[in-house]
Amino acid sequence: MKNNPLGDLGQGLGDYLREQRVGARLSVRQLSELAGVSNPYLSQIERGLKKPSAEILNQLAKGLQVSAESLYVRAGLLDPDEASGPTGPDTRAVIKSDPRLTSRQKSTLLDIYDSFVGAAQSDSEPAASSAKTPAPRAPRKRPTPKTKAAPAAANTKEG
C-alpha cells in the first residue's frame, strides 16, 4: 500500500473526484481539458497525493458539472454544517422592511432576487410578480426649454 502524505483527507477527495468523473463518463485527460488542469496533476489529486486549491476545485466542479461546495467539503476547505445553506438574514424580509424603498422598488427587487436564487415562495406569501403583471411604464417627457429657439428654416438662405 502506498504512503499517502495527505492521509484519508486526500484519498476521500480523490475517490469522490474519480467517482464523479467515471459517472460523467470522462477520462482523466478529458476532465483535465475541461477543467484546465494538467493531466498528471489531476491524476495525483485522484490518488490523494496532491491537495488542490479552492480555485482548482472550482475548475474541477465546473468540468464535472457538480457543486463546488461539495468538493470544498470533501477537501476539508468547508465545514459540512456551513455547506447546508446560508445562515444570514432573510433577504426577502430585509428588502420588505427597508423604509427607504417604495413598494414598487421592493416588488422589483424581490422579483429580481427571486430570478437569481430561484427562491421558493411559501403559500402565505406569493410572489408579487405571480399575482399580476405590472403595467408598462409610460415614457417620461423631457422638459421643454424656456427660451425660444429660432426656427431652423430661418437660418438658411434660399437660392
Side-chain angles (χ1 to χ4, degrees):
M1 185 148 190
K2 295 182 199 175
N3 182 13
N4 183 347
L6 298 179
D8 290 338
L9 176 67
Q11 195 58 45
L13 173 63
D15 288 341
Y16 181 73
L17 280 173
R18 185 177 299 108
E19 288 171 12
Q20 295 302 311
R21 179 179 57 75
V22 170
R25 297 182 183 202
L26 295 170
S27 68
V28 173
R29 178 168 289 163
Q30 288 170 323
L31 178 56
S32 70
E33 288 174 6
L34 286 172
V37 299
S38 74
N39 191 4
Y41 185 59
L42 178 56
S43 178
Q44 290 174 341
I45 294 170
E46 282 192 359
R47 289 182 285 141
L49 300 175
K50 296 284 185 182
K51 183 176 179 182
S53 67
E55 183 179 334
I56 298 295
L57 288 172
N58 195 34
Q59 290 172 239
L60 290 169
K62 285 180 184 176
L64 289 168
Q65 297 180 349
V66 298
S67 140
E69 190 176 80
S70 65
L71 295 183
Y72 296 159
V73 170
R74 295 283 180 155
L77 299 175
L78 185 63
D79 184 7
D81 295 332
E82 293 174 18
S84 62
T87 58
D90 178 14
T91 304
R92 293 183 57 77
V94 171
I95 292 171
K96 287 179 181 180
S97 67
D98 192 327
R100 298 168 296 179
L101 299 173
T102 66
S103 60
R104 183 181 183 122
Q105 290 169 329
K106 290 176 184 180
S107 175
T108 302
L109 279 172
L110 290 169
D111 288 344
I112 293 168
Y113 177 75
D114 290 344
S115 74
F116 284 145
V117 298
Q121 298 296 316
S122 66
D123 293 334
S124 64
E125 188 179 329
S129 64
S130 64
K132 65 178 183 175
T133 304
R137 199 181 238 189
R140 289 186 177 180
K141 293 182 180 179
R142 291 185 178 177
T144 56
K146 295 188 180 199
T147 60
K148 289 186 178 180
N155 292 339
T156 60
K157 292 184 180 180
E158 292 183 21

